Amino acid sequence: RKEVEQDPGPFNVPEGATVAFNCTYSNSASQSFFWYRQDCRKEPKLLMSVYSSGNEDGRFTAQLNRASQYISLLIRDSKLSDSATYLCVVNRQNQKVTFGTGTKLQVIP
Amino acid sequence: GAVVSQHPSRVICKSGTSVKIECRSLDFQATTMFWYRQFPKQSLMLMATSNEGSKATYEQGVEKDKFLINHASLTLSTLTVTSAHPEDSSFYICSAREASTNEKLFFGSGTQLSVL
C-alpha cells in the first residue's frame, strides 16, 4: 500500500461547482499535512496547511481526520483558474516528505 | 513566503556531458533539501534527500554515482547529472524544508533538462 494515496482524476467540473478531494495516508505517525497546487510544467506551490480543527481560506477548506487517516480539500464556486493538479503532502518531523500522485482538476466553462 | 531559487531553468546538452543544477534558499536556512524528477504527465518522484554536511539519502532505484548531490551549506544544494543520456531528460525540481514553519516545503522553479 502506498504511503499517501490520491484519486488521480481527472475531475471535470463546471464553473461554480463545489468539488472535494480526499487523500489517505498509511503512517499514523505522520505529523503535518499540506495541500499543494501544481500547474503544468511548473513547481508545486503551497495552497494551505491542514489542521485537525479544519481551516478555511476563501473558497478553500481543508480538513484532517486522524482517526481515519485522511485529509480533504473542498473548493467552492470553482473558477477556471482552479484547474491544476492538487498534491497531498504528508510529513513526519525530520523525516522525508511524502507526496501523493496528485488529483487533476479541470474546471469547464 | 520563503523563496527557493533554482538555476538554470532550462538546459539542453549533448549526451555524455554533465549538468549541474543549483538550489538555494534565499531567506531561510534549509538543513534539508529534496530533489525530485517529474516526467511529462506523471507525478513528482523523490530522488534523494540532501542533508547539510552529510551524504544524501537516495531513493530506491536512483543511482547515487549518476546523480551527485552536494549540500555544503545551509542555503545551497547542488545536483549534478553525470554523463547525461536522453533518458535523463526530465523536469528536475528541488525543495527546501523550513523548520520554523511547521515543516512546510518551498520549491524551486524547476529545471527542464533535455539531453540530445
Side-chain angles (χ1 to χ4, degrees), chain A residues 13-98:
Chain A
V13 302
E15 268 187 288
T18 295
V19 61
F21 311 132
N22 280 343
C23 166
T24 59
Y25 61 94
S26 61
N27 193 320
S28 59
S30 301
Q31 293 182 291
S32 52
F33 309 86
F34 308 94
W35 283 103
Y36 282 76
R37 169 197 169 126
Q38 186 178 25
D39 294 287
C40 187
R41 307 309 261 168
K42 297 283 182 69
E43 76 276 21
K45 293 196 170 149
L46 179 66
L47 183 63
M48 55 201 305
S49 304
V50 188
Y51 305 112
S52 296
S53 55
N55 48 304
E56 189 173 308
D57 182 3
R59 298 180 294 108
F60 299 84
T61 301
Q63 291 207 302
L64 164 64
N65 186 316
R66 286 194 184 270
S68 300
Q69 294 184 198
Y70 75 86
I71 68 172
S72 64
L73 177 68
L74 180 79
I75 305 175
R76 289 180 297 277
D77 188 22
S78 299
K79 310 290 184 191
L80 294 176
S81 57
D82 295 334
S83 299
T85 296
Y86 290 83
L87 301 168
C88 161
V89 177
V90 175
N91 198 5
R92 282 178 282 158
Q93 192 164 18
N94 296 325
Q95 296 188 41
K96 77 175 183 182
V97 177
T98 306

